[in-house]
Amino acid sequence: MLFSWRGGPGAASFLLSLLLLTSWEAGSGQVHYSVLEEAKHGTFVGRLAQDLGLELAELVPRQFRVVSKDREDLLEVNLQNGILFVNSRIDREALCGRNAECSIHLEVIVDRPLQVFHVEVEVKDINDNPPVFPEAKKRIIIAESRPPETRFPLDGASDADIGVNSALTYRIDPNDYFALGTQNNREQTSSLSLVLRKSLDREQIQEHSLLLTANDAGKPEMTGTVQLLIAVLDVNDNAPEFDQFIYKVTVFENAFNGTLVINLNATDLDEGTNGDIIYSFRRPVSPAVLNAFTINPNSGEIRTKGKLDFEEKKLYEISVEAIDKGNIPMAGHCTILVEVLDVNDNIPQITITSLSLPVQEDAQVGTVIALISVSDRDSGANGQVSCSLTSHVPFKFVSTFKNYYSLVLDSALDRESVSDYTLVVTARDGGSPSLWATASVSVEVADVNDNAPAFAQPEYTVFVRENNPPGCHIFTVSARDADARENARVSYSLVERRVGERALSSYVSVHAESGKVYALQPLDHEELELLQFQVSARDAGVPPLGSNVTLQVFVLDENDNAPALLPLPGAGGGAGAVSELVWRSVGAGHVVAKVRAVDADSGYNAWLSYELQPAAGGARSPFRVALYTGEISTTRSLDEADSPRQRLLVLVKDHGEPALTATATVLLSLVESGQAPKASSRALAGAAGAEAALVDVNVYLIVAICAVSSLLVLTLLLYTALRCSAPPTVGACAPGKPTLVCSSAVGSWSYSQQRRQRLCSGEGAPKTDLMAFSPSLPPCLSSTEGTGEREADLERLKEVSSYL
């Protein structure tokens, strides 16, 4: 629109004010719609965005949202077309009761810039509730002496609808004796009564049964019924009568318990007991009346009972009947309308909704933090509420509608200065004296994720004993993060890798929240002495930050392996049994055999000692065993008195706690010098049953000597051929050659510095046994010694190789 303006400065100021007023009214205007109750989901209510002057394309960018106090699910807006539609069932009676006006108030909020619109949706009534009588059957007692045109009050039906939908008409079954009568009074209440049209005759009809029907004026029409059972009695001629048919009284809601409301007085023209009157509430009595009032049956006084509440119920309708004490009791009836007057006894209520917390410290000024509404259940000035906010804070109130406020950011935030604010909202009513209430709003200033979790040290050393129970806790890692909330919530995980042929996660696990490290299976020191891995700690920020820590888990040895006996190369028997031939001419201290054993443990748990068990019968043996080498030697010179067969029992024991043991049986056969070969014989059978099978020792000795001699010659020839034909090869488990262990001149043993020597062959699996020569061999030779002695050593080496 183009226009020209020629006015002076005053006119320009007036025009500017007019434009500002028009802009404010457009931003804060109110839109009114209407919708029928019980409308189906999706029912069109109105083109909200179009009626508010908003473009559909800006609804989402401007954060278009609708707020409804306590009724958030009834109506909804489609952000694609801006249409307001019914979202869930709307029941006008549940929403507003019997109030003539019923509306849903919505608050529409858009940002950038902040605008607040108020929408009122009127809920119109439909005829969806039928009339309902208090009772399905109503019993009435009428004396036959009652004259025609006598009225008997009836309880009318109630209809939860309003307007024409609750306008009721009544009809009764056609009959000769009764008709319906209605009366309207100045208090706008309608009373229903049963009018006697014709004198009753109990001798003809003792009981009348009539159906009373109530119809409302809605479309379609709905009905309700009650069965009237009228009993005809004789006797009493006069019923008690009240001064008025309707009484109207008032009482304050803060009246004390027992306050007199009204003193009723009914009169009866009869005398004696027929004139004595008893007052009572006419049945059925509503629970609200019973809880609020009491009536004295003799005096007719009605008093308060308990506490009245104007906000719960403003008007009570009390039906009272006065019954005389005649043989055929007669009753008079009246109605008391008790109006409850309001006092300022309710403090304001503060409701805080739609909190946008926490607030980023870089939030823009004008950002809506929360929506606040205040209310007071009192009426008049007692229910008028004003609202205020804590001073000296970077927030303020913006009034959007009556008793509705928006809490917005008024100035920039700085988390490093103040990390959170506690705002106090104060609501005060206009009563005398006034009542007030406060509510606290905690506004937290959000941080950004700029700190990674940090461990106290980069590496930890952990010691765990082997054979631990599965799932045992071995260590706890802990990292601290200087950030706040989610940015400081640390979770832990393993840095997965391979440990040999297996994954690290098959050995250990870490609890994601507590950082506790668990061993998932029993650890074996003999299999794994050191397990080194990393644990990662990451926070929950976006993006997440993390760091790692190294754990070195040393598996400590336990004495869980008993000594294992090894067979002696070139000796008969197996592990745990050794057979040797011994010359009778050997002197004291001569080594005749050696018991070999290994222990898979380490340290003291693998340190072995040997003990010779006492012989049966207490006889002293001519042999002894070295404590730590297992060498069996003579304690004296052997003679003809010594048994030709000596059975020795050697106990091998480690130094663990508790100590584990093994037992070896050594069978020694004593032979004369002329019968023994120069080299040590092949081993005899080691078991006791084998001794019984040796019937002719000389024959077996001759066979053994021939076999050994032949084997030595063949071995020497084979070794010389292999030596000359090709260089020596390395076994399948290279790189190292077997370590040679030799006996010294004094019978002690030397061994390689490796704790275990892996001995492998090209055909079978590697062995971890300790290789040793027979104690009867000479000491290890140097490279300068004679060729004959070296060839003897090579022959022994071949014997050991054949065993391995």
Side-chain angles (χ1 to χ4, degrees):
M1 179 182 293
L2 300 177
F3 64 94
S4 60
W5 179 261
R6 296 182 179 180
S13 300
F14 173 75
L15 179 59
L16 179 60
S17 301
L18 181 60
L19 290 175
L20 291 175
L21 179 60
T22 304
S23 176
W24 171 257
E25 290 177 352
S28 303
Q30 182 170 347
V31 179
H32 183 274
Y33 297 110
S34 63
V35 64
L36 292 176
E37 67 169 327
E38 304 295 341
K40 295 182 179 180
H41 173 76
T43 300
F44 174 86
V45 179
R47 301 184 181 277
L48 182 58
Q50 178 179 338
D51 295 340
L52 294 178
L54 300 175
E55 295 294 334
L56 296 180
E58 65 180 356
L59 296 183
V60 175
R62 293 188 63 185
Q63 298 184 7
F64 180 93
R65 56 194 183 276
V66 176
V67 179
S68 173
K69 181 181 179 182
D70 298 332
R71 304 293 177 188
E72 295 181 358
D73 59 339
L74 298 181
L75 300 172
E76 187 58 75
V77 175
N78 188 330
L79 296 181
Q80 303 300 322
N81 53 26
I83 293 177
L84 182 67
F85 62 90
V86 175
N87 186 45
S88 61
R89 176 177 177 268
I90 302 177
D91 187 356
R92 187 188 186 282
E93 288 71 40
L95 192 63
C96 302
R98 294 189 57 82
N99 292 335
E101 296 181 359
C102 183
S103 298
I104 300 174
H105 294 280
L106 305 177
E107 186 173 275
V108 180
I109 303 172
V110 292
D111 294 331
R112 297 192 295 270
L114 175 65
Q115 288 183 291
V116 181
F117 304 91
H118 298 280
V119 180
E120 181 180 10
V121 180
E122 179 184 0
V123 181
K124 293 189 175 182
D125 183 55
I126 64 172
N127 191 28
D128 59 340
N129 292 280
V132 178
F133 285 93
E135 298 174 292
K137 292 183 179 181
K138 174 68 177 178
R139 294 188 177 275
I140 303 175
I141 301 176
I142 302 177
E144 63 176 343
S145 60
R146 300 303 292 270
E149 302 304 320
T150 301
R151 293 177 177 268
F152 303 93
L154 296 176
D155 294 318
S158 60
D159 195 316
D161 298 320
I162 63 171
V164 295
N165 294 330
S166 64
L168 304 180
T169 58
Y170 300 87
R171 68 177 185 272
I172 198 172
D173 292 345
N175 66 94
D176 297 331
Y177 291 92
F178 299 95
L180 290 179
T182 58
Q183 291 182 347
N184 294 324
N185 51 63
R186 290 178 298 177
E187 284 73 26
Q188 302 298 320
T189 61
S190 178
S191 60
L192 180 67
S193 59
L194 188 66
V195 181
L196 183 63
R197 298 171 55 188
K198 177 181 177 181
S199 298
L200 299 174
D201 187 356
R202 185 179 180 280
E203 284 67 26
Q204 292 183 4
I205 302 176
Q206 296 184 359
E207 186 177 74
H208 298 264
S209 177
L210 304 175
L211 184 66
L212 176 61
T213 304
N215 299 75
D216 62 23
K219 299 295 183 181
E221 180 184 80
M222 304 188 78
T223 63
T225 60
V226 61
Q227 188 75 27
L228 301 179
L229 300 176
I230 304 170
V232 181
L233 298 179
D234 282 323
V235 195
N236 228 345
D237 296 332
N238 297 285
E241 294 181 355
F242 291 93
D243 298 335
Q244 301 173 215
F245 185 71
I246 294 178
Y247 297 88
K248 186 175 182 180
V249 294
T250 59
V251 60
F252 284 98
E253 65 174 328
N254 62 346
F256 293 103
N257 185 17
T259 300
L260 178 64
V261 177
I262 189 173
N263 188 4
L264 298 175
N265 183 30
T267 58
D268 193 321
L269 299 178
D270 296 327
E271 295 181 354
T273 57
N274 292 333
D276 295 335
I277 297 174
I278 297 176
Y279 300 90
S280 63
F281 295 132
R282 184 163 61 88
R283 297 183 179 181
V285 187
S286 68
V289 172
L290 285 177
N291 293 334
F293 304 96
T294 60
I295 185 170
N296 189 311
N298 297 319
S299 64
E301 291 182 348
I302 297 179
R303 296 181 178 272
T304 60
K305 173 186 177 183
K307 189 178 186 304
L308 302 178
D309 191 352
F310 171 84
E311 289 70 33
E312 294 292 336
K313 195 170 182 64
K314 301 177 178 61
L315 180 68
Y316 292 87
E317 182 176 342
I318 306 174
S319 297
V320 177
E321 64 180 2
I323 303 176
D324 61 25
K325 297 181 179 179
N327 292 331
I328 302 176
M330 302 188 69
H333 305 85
C334 72
T335 301
I336 301 97
L337 300 178
V338 181
E339 181 183 4
V340 181
L341 302 180
D342 181 54
V343 295
N344 191 24
D345 60 343
N346 289 280
I347 63 174
Q349 301 293 321
I350 302 174
T351 303
I352 302 174
T353 58
S354 301
L355 293 176
S356 299
L357 298 176
V359 181
Q360 296 288 337
E361 61 178 334
D362 58 351
Q364 296 182 356
V365 174
T367 300
V368 177
I369 308 302
L371 299 178
I372 299 175
S373 62
V374 294
S375 62
D376 195 313
R377 297 178 62 192
D378 294 323
S379 62
N382 297 333
Q384 296 177 357
V385 183
S386 60
C387 197
S388 62
L389 183 66
T390 306
S391 58
H392 306 297
V393 292
F395 304 92
K396 67 178 180 180
F397 275 147
V398 175
S399 179
T400 59
F401 191 62
K402 180 183 178 182
N403 292 339
Y404 287 86
Y405 301 88
S406 294
L407 178 64
V408 301
L409 184 62
D410 191 35
S411 60
L413 299 175
D414 185 6
R415 184 186 180 278
E416 285 64 32
S417 299
V418 181
S419 61
D420 62 274
Y421 295 87
T422 300
L423 309 180
V424 178
V425 180
T426 303
R428 188 179 299 273
D429 63 24
S432 181
S434 64
L435 301 177
W436 55 274
T438 61
S440 295
V441 181
S442 180
V443 179
E444 180 183 1
V445 182
D447 194 16
V448 295
N449 189 26
D450 57 348
N451 291 280
F455 292 93
Q457 58 191 68
E459 184 175 310
Y460 294 92
T461 300
V462 183
F463 295 92
V464 180
R465 290 193 175 275
E466 67 173 339
N467 302 322
N468 56 282
C472 74
H473 172 229
I474 62 176
F475 193 71
T476 300
V477 294
S478 178
R480 298 179 61 86
D481 194 313
D483 293 325
R485 294 182 175 84
E486 294 297 319
N487 295 333
R489 184 162 59 85
V490 180
S491 60
Y492 303 89
S493 63
L494 287 177
V495 178
E496 188 62 74
R497 70 176 184 87
R498 305 290 298 178
V499 180
E501 297 297 325
R502 302 170 62 181
L504 174 64
S505 56
S506 66
Y507 287 94
V508 293
S509 69
V510 60
H511 193 274
E513 296 179 1
S514 65
K516 291 185 176 181
V517 181
Y518 299 92
L520 298 181
Q521 64 181 10
L523 299 177
D524 189 356
H525 173 80
E526 288 71 34
E527 175 188 347
L528 185 66
E529 295 183 4
L530 172 61
L531 179 62
Q532 182 171 315
F533 57 93
Q534 286 187 325
V535 175
S536 175
R538 289 191 175 273
D539 59 28
V542 178
L545 301 177
S547 61
N548 296 342
V549 67
T550 300
L551 267 67
Q552 295 190 75
V553 180
F554 287 90
V555 182
L556 302 180
D557 182 60
E558 286 189 342
N559 192 27
D560 59 341
N561 291 281
L565 296 168
L566 301 176
L568 185 65
V578 177
S579 296
E580 289 287 347
L581 297 176
V582 181
W583 300 330
R584 285 186 179 272
S585 60
V586 298
H590 181 77
V591 177
V592 298
K594 177 177 176 65
V595 176
R596 300 186 318 115
V598 294
D599 197 315
D601 296 320
S602 62
Y604 272 88
N605 296 329
W607 184 21
L608 303 180
S609 62
Y610 303 82
E611 297 177 10
L612 188 62
Q613 298 299 303
R620 184 174 181 181
S621 173
F623 302 94
R624 65 181 177 186
V625 63
L627 180 61
Y628 296 113
T629 65
E631 295 178 346
I632 299 175
S633 60
T634 58
T635 59
R636 57 179 174 78
S637 297
L638 302 176
D639 52 26
E640 295 297 329
D642 295 319
S643 173
R645 294 188 185 89
Q646 296 286 333
R647 180 185 179 91
L648 305 180
L649 191 63
V650 179
L651 178 68
V652 185
K653 180 171 64 174
D654 60 25
H655 286 71
E657 290 292 334
L660 301 178
T661 62
T663 302
T665 301
V666 179
L667 301 176
L668 300 179
S669 297
L670 306 185
V671 297
E672 298 297 336
S673 298
Q675 296 176 342
K678 294 182 179 180
S680 69
S681 65
R682 295 290 293 177
L684 299 177
E691 290 180 328
L694 295 177
V695 179
D696 193 345
V697 178
N698 294 329
V699 175
Y700 284 100
L701 287 177
I702 294 172
V703 174
I705 291 171
C706 294
V708 171
S709 300
S710 302
L711 181 61
L712 289 176
V713 173
L714 291 176
T715 302
L716 180 58
L717 294 176
L718 179 62
Y719 174 79
T720 303
L722 292 176
R723 184 82 173 183
C724 297
S725 63
T729 59
V730 181
C733 294
K737 295 181 179 180
T739 301
L740 187 62
V741 182
C742 305
S743 63
S744 65
V746 295
S748 63
W749 292 84
S750 62
Y751 54 93
S752 70
Q753 293 182 356
Q754 297 179 349
R755 189 173 65 86
R756 294 195 184 97
Q757 176 63 36
R758 298 178 62 84
L759 302 179
C760 307
S761 66
E763 299 175 354
K767 300 179 181 296
T768 58
D769 300 338
L770 193 64
M771 186 176 67
F773 287 112
S774 173
S776 61
L777 289 176
C780 293
L781 302 177
S782 65
S783 60
T784 59
E785 293 177 323
T787 305
E789 293 175 341
R790 184 181 302 274
E791 289 179 354
D793 291 341
L794 291 176
E795 291 177 358
R796 284 299 184 181
L797 177 59
K798 279 302 181 177
E799 289 185 9
V800 175
S801 299
S802 65
Y803 159 73
L804 295 174

